[in-house]
Amino acid sequence: MSEELAEVVVLTGAGISAESGVPTFRGAAGLWRTYRPEDLATLDAFRRDPTLVWEWYDWRRGLIARCAPNAAHRTLAEMEQTIENFVLITQNVDGLHQRAGSRHVLELHGNLWRMRCTMEGIVVEDYRVPLPSIPPRCECGALMRPDVVWFGESLPAEVMSAAYAAVQRCRLMLVVGTSGVVYPAAALPQLAHQCGAYVVEFNVERTPLSLYADEVILGPAAVELPRWWAALISSGKFSTAS
Ligand code: BJW
């Protein structure tokens, strides 16, 4: 592997799953056009109406269960196999990176295929669609909640510190399909830029993160990311035999 690619970090957002059929949050067809985040994606909302919140998550789980990973997810899985020091950080909760074959994924905002006991904190995986009863309850009788990070909640500390460490030492950062407005995830590309990494953004439009990008590649991630990776391999800068 060439020295330039010694440390590669990728940050993904909802846009990478758009061509799989998973709705993004913002933009014309985004979830937040139809649903208010304060009604569905905060702890207060859950305390007020856990049934409503779970119905929404159950609907999303059903939708995502019918979606398959696309060429961009598969490209990142291939990159993980090929690049020795490769770190994939995602804001997505859909699990499509893992279904594409990525083994090590730093999930900043959790995963909607897991639920957590509101009393004991026990986390369980649950792939049932639809859920047999809403809201689901733990064996201890307490309410379960989706194991995701809502607005106003802290991101998992260990995941966040692993992400910061990787970003600070990386030489190349790819930023794929995120609007770059949700913090602290949105601060990572700027940090990479400040630490001297080469930052490449993939999005269908420019974002606030474009300021920190050395290259902005406009177009659908499922087309542009595989194309970029194929060009890199064929440029000879990078050998898959390494
Ligand atoms: C394509 C494409 C294609 C389309 N190809 N591209 C600093 C400044 C301001 C505010 C804050 C701040 N620090 C913290 C805050 C508050 C808040 C925040 O950021 N608010 C802003 C929105 C104003 N942050 C938080 O509350 C976070 N917690 C926190 O900071 O804790 C610390 C703390 C705790 C207690 C007290 C005090 C401090 C938590 C944030 C949690 C976000 N949760 C969600 C929901 C997850 C669960 C679920 O899914 O239900 O995470 S919100 C939602 O946004 C989801 C996403 O992961 C996240 C980011 O969205 P993303 O991925 O960027 O998607 P979109 O839709 O926004 O963009 C899609 C992009 O794709 C677009 O650019 C398209 O153009 C592009 N695209 N098709 C390529 N085919």
Side-chain angles (χ1 to χ4, degrees):
M1 181 168 60
S2 74
E3 215 204 319
E4 293 88 343
L5 288 169
E7 296 274 352
V8 180
V9 169
V10 182
L11 172 68
T12 64
I16 196 170
S17 298
E19 282 144 275
S20 294
V22 182
T24 60
F25 293 91
R26 296 162 188 86
L31 290 169
W32 297 153
R33 280 287 165 107
T34 317
Y35 306 95
R36 287 167 13 115
E38 52 275 43
D39 290 342
L40 297 162
T42 66
L43 187 57
D44 277 351
F46 182 73
R47 285 185 177 138
R48 234 180 0 252
D49 195 342
T51 302
L52 176 75
V53 170
W54 265 116
E55 280 170 352
W56 189 62
Y57 277 92
D58 196 42
W59 167 73
R60 284 176 61 203
R61 286 160 57 103
L63 192 157
I64 290 165
R66 293 191 296 276
C67 296
N70 65 51
H73 297 106
R74 289 193 295 275
T75 296
L76 295 180
E78 191 182 316
M79 287 174 74
E80 183 188 57
Q81 293 292 310
T82 318
I83 300 172
E84 202 178 322
N85 294 306
F86 177 84
V87 177
L88 175 56
I89 306 169
T90 190
Q91 297 167 84
N92 297 347
V93 299
D94 57 28
L96 289 182
H97 284 305
Q98 290 88 340
R99 281 172 59 194
S102 288
R103 287 171 175 249
H104 304 289
V105 186
L106 294 177
E107 293 178 321
L108 296 179
H109 295 161
N111 188 303
L112 53 58
W113 300 107
R114 294 192 302 260
M115 50 178 82
R116 189 166 84 231
C117 174
T118 52
M119 199 69 117
E120 300 169 321
I122 291 167
V123 174
V124 293
E125 286 189 355
D126 190 324
Y127 294 93
R128 290 174 295 174
V129 168
L131 286 167
S133 68
I134 286 182
R137 288 191 176 271
C138 180
E139 283 174 7
C140 76
L143 277 178
M144 298 295 271
R145 59 162 284 177
D147 190 30
V148 298
V149 180
W150 286 321
F151 285 110
E153 293 188 315
S154 301
L155 280 70
E158 275 180 25
V159 176
M160 203 57 214
S161 58
Y164 275 128
V167 167
Q168 280 168 318
R169 65 173 184 254
C170 79
R171 305 286 298 275
L172 171 66
M173 182 178 199
L174 311 183
V175 181
V176 186
T178 177
S179 57
V181 297
V182 174
Y183 285 83
L188 295 174
Q190 183 178 2
L191 179 62
H193 173 76
Q194 281 165 351
C195 293
Y198 191 84
V199 178
V200 184
E201 182 183 39
F202 295 82
N203 203 303
V204 290
E205 60 186 26
R206 291 181 72 85
T207 73
L209 302 179
S210 307
L211 267 181
Y212 309 108
D214 296 282
E215 268 180 71
V216 179
I217 298 179
L218 293 174
V223 175
E224 298 302 334
L225 189 60
R227 184 182 286 166
W228 175 89
W229 176 235
L232 190 67
I233 298 278
S234 63
S235 72
K237 278 191 201 158
F238 183 78
S239 157
T240 50
S242 61

